[in-house]
Amino acid sequence: YALIRRPAPSHMRKIIRPGGAVVLLFGALSLAFTFPLVLHMSDHVPGDLGDPLYNMWLLNDTIRKAEDGFRDFWDGRVFYPHQDTKLYADTLIALSALAWPIAAATGRLVLTYNVLLILSFFLCAWGMYLLVAHLTRSRPAAILAGIMFGFFPYNYAHIWHIELLYFCWIPFCLLFLHRYFERFKGRDLFLAAAMFALQALSCAYYGLYLGFVLVPVLIFFVIKSEAWRRRAFWLQGAAAAALSAAVLLPVFIPYMRTHAVMGFERTLADVEAHSAELQHLLAAPPSNLVWGRWLGGL
């Protein structure tokens, strides 16, 4: 019922508006759950000095190359004499676009990075709030879902991997898909495609995961709503798919080509070493004040 239904009456639709109070709440929680970073925005980074410094360099290099007309865009001038070395890891194209105006306004790379990091918590909470509010028409349920999604422990286990903090586009993508199959307005489908592209260009891992999720979700929606009977659906779907491909292929074709040339791959031993086992689903870090004593050993 929550997935496919008639649009709610106008007096119920008012409930899903985020409102200043919700924005302020998520903004305050984003600062509180990353405290004391807000006091050291220009001289500290959370986590360690490995991935954060690399990602700052990558964001800065991408911005400079874009301002220089995209010349030698993938050449990071590292690992000489290899070329296209920025493709050895996630490219962070979408995060670079978000960083560009902040860096231009402040001229401070560390500050720009920290603003992006705190913004990731806010956007994850806000996106899930809007999705759950749309499905349930309950502001308390939506606020609780936003807090759970935006500030759950997984974020802090990867606090130094800014790309792994940016899964906020997933709830936005699902929200626009719901809206499209409720009222069949092409704008919603194009926005869903744009959110998918943003997710893939923020973190390639999550773009891949979202793609696997979207296949059964779309099949369900198309059958349930009988969208397959609508000629406009096929035209809009083809246009949305073409839009995503036009944005993503210029990034991922050279990415896959470079990885094939360099022989980059995860071996089965790598996968086993970094995969969760069943008992890990019940575990907590030994340092956890509440559960560490009982579940830390798992």
Side-chain angles (χ1 to χ4, degrees):
Y1 171 76
L3 294 176
I4 301 294
R5 65 188 187 288
R6 295 181 183 276
S10 59
H11 70 279
M12 292 186 66
R13 283 201 293 268
K14 294 179 181 178
I15 297 177
I16 71 169
R17 295 179 181 178
V22 174
V23 171
L24 288 175
L25 172 64
F26 291 153
L29 289 176
S30 298
L31 296 178
F33 278 91
T34 55
F35 190 83
L37 181 59
V38 68
L39 303 179
H40 302 278
M41 294 290 284
S42 296
D43 52 45
H44 281 67
V45 293
D48 56 31
L49 296 180
D51 286 77
L53 296 188
Y54 168 78
N55 285 329
M56 275 189 276
W57 167 80
L58 181 60
L59 294 172
N60 183 63
D61 189 78
T62 300
I63 291 172
R64 288 180 178 274
K65 295 287 179 60
E67 293 174 341
D68 195 33
F70 299 95
R71 186 176 57 184
D72 299 326
F73 187 70
W74 300 122
D75 185 8
R77 290 178 173 82
V78 292
F79 301 115
Y80 179 84
H82 294 185
Q83 297 179 338
D84 296 338
T85 49
K86 284 168 60 177
L87 293 166
Y88 284 5
D90 216 328
T91 57
L92 309 187
I93 296 296
L95 301 190
S96 299
L98 286 176
W100 196 341
I102 305 172
T106 64
R108 296 183 178 185
L109 191 56
V110 177
L111 174 63
T112 299
Y113 177 88
N114 285 329
V115 170
L116 280 185
L117 187 140
I118 293 175
L119 184 62
S120 70
F121 289 87
F122 172 81
L123 289 175
C124 286
W126 190 32
M128 183 55 71
Y129 167 85
L130 292 176
L131 175 60
V132 173
H134 183 79
L135 295 177
T136 68
R137 307 297 170 185
S138 168
R139 184 182 293 270
I143 292 174
L144 180 60
I147 293 173
M148 293 172 64
F149 189 72
F151 307 103
F152 70 123
Y154 174 86
N155 278 348
Y156 303 96
H158 291 283
I159 194 69
W160 51 85
H161 300 138
I162 193 169
E163 70 277 14
L164 296 183
L165 300 180
Y166 267 88
F167 45 87
C168 52
W169 313 118
I170 294 176
F172 282 109
C173 179
L174 296 175
L175 170 63
F176 289 121
L177 274 183
H178 277 283
R179 289 177 52 174
Y180 174 75
F181 285 100
E182 290 165 2
R183 55 187 189 177
F184 291 102
K185 290 190 176 181
R187 180 183 62 181
D188 292 322
L189 191 59
F190 282 103
L191 286 172
M195 293 300 107
F196 172 73
L198 273 175
Q199 187 58 76
L201 295 177
S202 296
C203 178
Y205 286 116
Y206 295 155
L208 184 63
Y209 302 159
L210 180 56
F212 280 114
V213 170
L214 288 181
V215 171
V217 168
L218 283 172
I219 292 174
F220 171 83
F221 276 139
V222 170
I223 295 175
K224 186 71 174 180
S225 65
E226 296 186 345
W228 57 274
R229 297 178 180 273
R230 297 172 175 263
R231 181 171 178 269
F233 162 73
W234 294 106
L235 295 175
Q236 294 165 350
L243 171 66
S244 294
V247 173
L248 296 178
L249 290 181
V251 175
F252 285 101
I253 286 179
Y255 179 88
M256 291 185 291
R257 182 176 62 241
T258 297
H259 281 239
V261 170
M262 296 302 298
F264 292 156
E265 64 178 9
R266 294 286 190 187
T267 66
L268 183 58
D270 292 331
V271 175
E272 291 177 343
H274 296 285
S275 293
E277 299 179 9
L278 287 178
Q279 70 269 22
H280 295 154
L281 300 178
L282 300 175
S287 58
N288 186 292
L289 295 179
V290 178
W291 301 109
R293 178 183 302 178
W294 294 281
L295 302 178
L298 296 177

